[in-house]
Amino acid sequence: MPTLVDKIWDHHRAATTPGGADLIAIDRIFLHERTGAAALKSMAAAGRRVRDPARVFVGMDHIVDTRPGRSDQTLMPGGQGFISETRAAAKAAGLTIFDVSDPDQGIVHVISPELGIVLPGCTLVAPDSHTCTQGAFGALAWGIGSSEAEHAMVTGTLRLTRPKTMRIRLDGRLAAGVTAKDLALALLARFGAGGGAGHAVEYTGAAVAAMDMEARQTLCNMATEFSAFTGIIAPDEAAYAALAGRRYAPAAFDAPWWQSLHSDADAHFDAELALDAGQVAPMVSWGTSPEHSIAIDAALPAGPARAHDYIGLAAGTPIAGTPIDVAFIGSCTNSRLSDLRRAAALLKGRRIAPGIKKALVVPGSSAVKREAEAEGLHAVFQAAGFEWRESGCSLCFYAGGEGFPPGSRTISSTNRNFEGRQGPGIRTHIASPETVVASALAGVIADPRQIA
Amino acid sequence: MQAFTTLSGQAIPFGAANIDTDVIIPARYLKTITRAGLGKGAFAALRENPDNVFDQNAGAPILIAGHNFGCGSSREHAPWALADLGIRVVISPGFADIFAGNAFKNGLLLVTLPQAAVDRLLEVAREGQPITIDLENQVVTTPFQDRFEFPMDPFRKHCLVNGLDEIGLTMGMGDAIAAHEARLAAEQPWIAGAAG
């Protein structure tokens, strides 16, 4: 009867509070340098301490410099204070830190599975809305705010009301050149950016089962753009194989608990949606919400006037052929080894268009960077005209660091195209790494299926 | 935390839907490690227009917004920035989950009402008339005899009305937490053994 989310929820319920909320035990907490210091200092100022420091991990990803030879200095003015204060506060609290120069440094959602910190059936929170990415491993993982991070660290729990459950069936098979990113954007286009509000979304179906673990992370990553409490995929052999033996994970997943981690056949979901993955084309966003997404061979619909004004494209304009200034491959959505492999395969022996002012590849973790370099991918990117960077969140959002003149247009493998997300006046088009590459080669938004 | 019982005052007739946290407080204003002073960056892009409702209603303690308010990034700076602007209540047909959690933890009351009620309150606010929020009775009223009841999580209401700190309340349940942890440690040693 219960869904996967129900099972994890009930297993972690330590108590029900007098107010009726559930007190849910939190197995893993991630902090990052952007907000870590604030939470730790506020906690210390209240005379409180971390209940179990062994379960709290600190990454450095949001504002770290990604240029080669980096230090604590950041392009964001004053950014080094965030890094040094988070480091000092985390050390004082006895937390595990993956520091700027650590071989395990990276975007927290990328390094968590690399190190086996996320586990199927666990609860994991971080003060970052894309924590839902880690639901790909069958964990209940979601983004929280600083005060909730403080609460989780001090008490080992969070007070929560059980979210409603939603199942999204993705049957059919993705066509060649179409990726999990396109599927995520197609869901947003079809059901709206508020489509999952109040629900924990479980993705199921043949298209999901066929995805590798990295594609599943891309799909779950954008559950937050869907306004969902989180996204989750029931763990299968692929998930267990990806984690077994990692530093913080068990050597084998053979206890009965692991085998119970699925929604029962007759489980009741509060809502059900479905989309035929076989009908999805490469998608690209045209406006200022991720729901403003269309197939690469489509023309802009008539959307909110402000979105058209901001993006500088009228209804009826074909999205393909729109000139771009910047191309970016990176972020917790699309910065893993398989993303870089697919992008490099399309780029090999080619050169980006002369009109592109900047093209960047920022690996999701230092480990991804090393593995990509071992395969020679960095040389492919560099020969094509992309800069090859150190790991971090980079251009996914603007923190006052790396910027472009207002009105610049980016094609970006990231997750948000809000006004100003990548800097004041920057026009962002989100798409798969393949579409970013095709567009960088053409100098205009272009269909990756047309590259042989 | 400041207790919240009843509040009357001018409301900012904003009304826009799908306002994300980048609009509430753009990332370029997130340069402080503390919470104060964020109000000057609140809604910065919208306030570039000199005719904006935020500056026209400076100091108003109530904000009326459209559905899905607070979507996007989990930054807690969003409720901090609203609080720094002097806002104590936001009224909308719906709020994004993470934002709602953050708002509550910072004593910002979120009132969810049907779109028609929100539209009516926008009219009242545009006329410069005050709106009253009575949390204890869970009702919003206007000088024109409008009366809209709103739902409220009982625990959140209890904390807001009494100005209680959530972490302290949960620490009071330490025995239940310890018992649960002991059971999990026995059943699932891989969780507690993390840093081993």
Side-chain angles (χ1 to χ4, degrees):
Chain A
M1 285 271 288
T3 66
L4 172 57
V5 168
D6 292 327
K7 288 181 185 179
I8 300 173
W9 192 275
D10 291 340
H11 190 83
H12 285 83
R13 186 170 48 206
T16 299
T17 68
D22 287 337
L23 205 55
I24 297 297
I26 303 300
D27 298 329
R28 302 276 187 262
I29 301 166
F30 251 109
L31 301 179
H32 57 75
E33 83 282 20
R34 184 75 173 276
T35 57
L40 288 166
K41 283 171 167 232
S42 163
M43 181 189 76
R48 291 166 176 159
R49 57 190 188 82
V50 178
R51 183 177 176 88
D52 183 2
R55 289 189 277 153
V56 185
F57 302 86
V58 183
M60 299 282 183
D61 56 3
H62 272 63
I63 58 174
V64 292
D65 190 4
T66 60
R67 292 172 303 173
R70 69 179 169 197
S71 62
D72 281 4
Q73 299 294 315
T74 63
L75 287 169
M76 169 187 164
Q80 59 270 39
F82 287 72
I83 294 173
S84 58
E85 299 219 19
T86 295
R87 178 185 296 137
K91 273 191 184 148
L95 313 183
T96 303
I97 310 172
F98 304 108
D99 214 329
V100 178
S101 57
D102 193 301
D104 296 316
Q105 179 274 341
I107 302 175
V108 297
H109 312 309
V110 178
I111 64 174
S112 177
E114 286 176 351
L115 297 166
I117 292 169
V118 64
L119 294 173
C122 84
T123 50
L124 183 153
V125 296
D128 185 279
S129 58
H130 289 105
T131 306
C132 54
T133 310
Q134 304 185 46
F137 294 89
L140 195 62
W142 71 99
I144 55 173
S146 292
S147 296
E148 284 178 301
E150 231 178 290
H151 189 287
M153 286 192 288
V154 172
T155 70
T157 65
L158 282 174
R159 286 174 179 259
L160 298 162
T161 303
R162 185 189 294 247
K164 289 186 276 188
T165 54
M166 173 185 286
R167 174 163 53 193
I168 301 185
R169 286 187 177 280
L170 299 166
D171 284 319
R173 213 170 114 172
L174 289 172
V178 182
T179 68
K181 176 64 159 288
D182 302 302
L183 198 46
L185 291 175
L187 280 169
L188 283 155
R190 172 79 165 271
F191 299 109
H199 292 79
V201 172
E202 181 176 349
Y203 300 97
T204 68
V208 177
M211 285 179 190
D212 63 25
M213 292 312 299
E214 301 196 344
R216 292 180 199 181
Q217 289 172 73
T218 300
L219 179 63
C220 288
N221 175 269
M222 294 191 71
T224 187
E225 275 63 51
F226 203 50
S227 304
F229 171 74
T230 188
I232 193 168
I233 294 172
D236 59 7
E237 288 311 313
Y240 292 122
L243 296 172
R246 302 267 179 178
R247 188 182 311 162
Y248 296 98
F253 291 89
D254 44 11
W257 162 245
W258 307 111
Q259 304 311 317
S260 71
L261 294 173
H262 53 79
S263 290
D264 288 349
D266 56 354
H268 169 75
F269 289 84
D270 297 300
E272 302 250 10
L273 299 177
L275 192 73
D276 181 353
Q279 299 301 311
V280 174
M283 300 287 291
V284 60
S285 72
W286 66 261
T288 55
S289 160
E291 74 179 24
H292 297 156
S293 290
I294 50 177
I296 188 92
D297 50 8
L300 268 70
R306 188 178 169 96
H308 286 287
D309 286 349
Y310 184 83
I311 212 75
L313 296 172
T317 311
I319 193 72
T322 305
I324 55 162
D325 304 298
V326 177
F328 176 58
I329 297 173
S331 86
C332 56
T333 318
N334 281 120
S335 63
R336 297 174 186 81
L337 190 59
S338 62
D339 296 311
L340 304 189
R341 281 179 180 153
R342 298 194 318 273
L346 289 179
L347 267 179
K348 194 157 192 165
R350 295 185 166 97
R351 180 92 201 148
I352 61 171
I356 302 289
K357 296 177 184 72
K358 190 174 267 280
L360 274 192
V361 183
V362 180
S365 71
S366 296
V368 167
K369 178 170 185 272
R370 285 191 301 276
E371 291 163 26
E373 288 175 350
E375 295 182 12
L377 303 184
H378 65 307
V380 174
F381 285 114
Q382 287 170 329
F386 274 83
E387 287 181 49
W388 178 250
R389 292 287 188 91
E390 298 291 336
S391 166
C393 297
S394 184
L395 296 190
C396 182
F397 69 94
Y398 180 73
E402 223 158 343
F404 308 99
S408 296
R409 194 178 295 282
T410 72
I411 182 89
S412 182
S413 75
T414 53
N415 42 55
R416 291 196 174 128
N417 56 339
F418 299 150
E419 284 186 31
R421 171 77 178 181
Q422 292 184 302
I426 303 299
R427 295 157 165 166
T428 302
H429 296 273
I430 51 179
S432 71
E434 284 89 333
T435 301
V436 173
V437 164
S439 306
L441 291 172
V444 297
I445 294 177
D447 189 335
R449 296 171 300 188
Q450 289 169 4
I451 303 178
Chain B
M1 211 159 77
Q2 194 181 353
F4 191 111
T5 49
T6 299
L7 181 146
S8 283
Q10 174 61 35
I12 303 170
F14 181 37
N18 292 316
I19 291 300
D20 58 69
T21 51
D22 288 63
V23 173
I24 297 172
I25 180 80
R28 64 184 179 279
Y29 289 96
L30 310 186
K31 289 176 185 162
T32 67
I33 298 170
T34 57
R35 305 175 178 196
L38 290 164
K40 68 180 191 308
F43 301 105
L46 301 174
R47 287 163 73 191
E48 282 171 13
N49 176 347
D51 286 336
N52 70 82
V53 291
F54 303 98
D55 291 318
Q56 284 164 356
N57 297 281
I62 303 163
L63 174 67
I64 307 177
H67 73 79
N68 201 23
F69 185 79
C71 59
S73 149
S74 66
R75 65 186 63 148
E76 196 156 328
H77 305 75
W80 297 343
L82 295 175
D84 203 49
L85 266 190
I87 293 171
R88 299 203 59 209
V89 185
V90 185
I91 300 173
S92 157
F95 297 91
D97 286 343
I98 298 175
F99 173 79
N102 289 339
F104 162 65
K105 286 169 181 57
N106 288 281
L108 179 68
L109 173 61
L110 303 185
V111 172
T112 306
L113 286 173
Q115 185 69 53
V118 172
D119 290 342
R120 170 62 189 153
L121 294 173
L122 282 168
E123 284 175 24
V124 172
R126 285 192 191 107
E127 289 177 25
Q129 296 296 322
I131 287 170
T132 299
I133 293 102
D134 175 349
L135 176 57
E136 281 176 294
N137 293 303
Q138 295 179 222
V139 63
V140 178
T141 54
T142 73
F144 308 101
Q145 313 309 315
D146 297 293
R147 179 186 166 83
F148 304 112
E149 294 186 3
F150 61 89
M152 188 72 202
D153 175 87
F155 172 70
R156 291 187 172 185
K157 176 177 171 178
H158 174 72
C159 288
L160 286 167
V161 168
N162 295 292
L164 295 175
D165 163 62
E166 203 182 30
I167 296 177
L169 283 171
T170 302
M171 288 173 80
M173 300 178 71
D175 291 348
I177 296 170
H180 184 77
E181 281 179 345
R183 182 171 68 77
L184 281 188
E187 288 176 13
Q188 302 187 321
W190 51 82
I191 297 297

